[in-house]
Amino acid sequence: MTPSASLLAVFAHPDDESLSAGGLLARQAEAGARTAVVTATWAEGTGRTVELAQALRVLGAGEPRLLGYADARVPDSAPGAARLLDAPLQQAVRRLVAHIREIRPDAVVTHDALGGLTGHPDHARTHRVTALAVAEAGRPELHPGTGAPWRPRALYLATHPDSAARALGPRLMRPGRPTHSVPDAEVTTTLDVRPWLPRKLRAVLAHRSEVERGALPGRVAALQPAEQERLMGTEWYIRRDGDGLAEA
């Protein structure tokens, strides 16, 4: 992806955007590209969306855009709304298609099919919703009333190769939790984000509630600077193009 390419990031929870693609978002914004983030869970006005807004300001990615579903493990994250895992698939796809048609990005980035390093079920569901939305947003007969058709050129799946996961897992995962990764050969794009690492880390740490409860941002905060650079200074992606988008 060239630094000038406009980018839409779609992730499950507030903080996923910073942890998984914060360097990429910061790079694109610094180069003057349009960037935006859609978050599948948590509702407007909740504490974590306030933190999300702060993180996006650091990354230059505009204001939060929310699909409005509840986190699988936190029902009050979107009071009265269905969990993302329980919502009709095509309902979620339609909501995301509207954002894609409005933003008209060159590329979209989301979780890989495994749900990233943690394998969270909301991550895997967001991956499926995004792959379908990217494929369907360009078809004029689908989702009428959500804007003019638009087909992004590529979908990037944020992932971790097996070789990196062996180093990341013991430092970033809770003891006993499995890590989810892909064979190194499946990675198509390796991005050195060290030039943008200070912004990425500020965005991660903007998710203060997750830092305080010792979730992944808290474990990142506890690392020494050299370890932060070693473990957070590279991002990995799998690129999907053309007809393979819906099966990504």
Side-chain angles (χ1 to χ4, degrees):
M1 186 192 311
T2 64
S4 61
S6 58
L7 177 67
L8 172 63
V10 185
F11 288 102
H13 311 113
D15 80 7
D16 291 333
E17 79 297 324
S18 301
L19 290 162
S20 298
L24 175 60
L25 283 162
R27 185 189 80 155
Q28 300 306 107
E30 184 179 283
R34 292 182 295 109
T35 60
V37 173
V38 171
T39 306
T41 67
W42 291 75
E44 186 174 355
T46 60
R48 290 197 65 187
T49 59
V50 173
E51 296 169 355
L52 174 63
Q54 295 170 341
L56 297 190
R57 282 194 289 273
V58 171
L59 296 173
E63 295 299 317
R65 294 169 174 265
L66 307 170
L67 295 189
Y69 296 108
D71 185 314
R73 297 168 183 167
V74 190
D76 63 357
S77 57
R83 298 191 316 162
L84 176 64
L85 293 180
D86 300 328
L89 179 62
Q90 278 299 311
Q91 179 193 79
V93 169
R94 179 179 173 83
R95 290 183 185 183
L96 182 53
V97 163
H99 288 285
I100 293 172
R101 288 176 171 176
E102 177 190 349
I103 298 164
R104 303 173 78 80
D106 296 318
V108 174
V109 60
T110 191
H111 304 281
D112 69 12
L114 300 175
L117 196 66
T118 66
H120 194 296
D122 281 343
H123 294 185
R125 182 68 163 184
T126 299
H127 162 86
R128 185 60 178 153
V129 168
T130 305
L132 286 170
V134 168
E136 295 180 11
R139 297 178 58 183
E141 75 276 15
L142 297 179
H143 309 292
T146 61
W150 179 260
R151 183 70 175 270
R153 292 200 297 264
L155 175 65
Y156 287 83
L157 310 178
T159 195
H160 291 85
D162 291 339
S163 59
R166 286 192 289 270
L168 288 165
R171 301 299 294 139
L172 297 180
M173 298 289 288
R174 294 186 188 279
R177 294 279 182 89
T179 57
H180 298 77
S181 57
V182 301
D184 287 42
E186 292 189 17
V187 173
T188 62
T189 305
T190 300
L191 185 61
D192 179 356
V193 300
R194 287 176 296 174
W196 304 278
L197 186 58
R199 288 177 63 184
K200 176 177 179 175
L201 291 174
R202 289 201 307 274
V204 169
L205 300 183
H207 295 280
R208 293 185 302 277
S209 61
E210 295 299 278
V211 173
E212 291 167 0
R213 78 179 185 91
L216 189 50
R219 294 192 287 280
V220 170
L223 297 173
Q224 294 298 313
E227 275 198 299
Q228 290 176 335
E229 179 175 320
R230 181 173 68 88
L231 298 177
M232 304 295 291
T234 304
E235 292 173 0
W236 298 271
Y237 300 95
I238 301 169
R239 177 176 171 134
R240 294 284 184 261
D241 302 277
D243 295 337
L245 291 175
E247 290 74 44

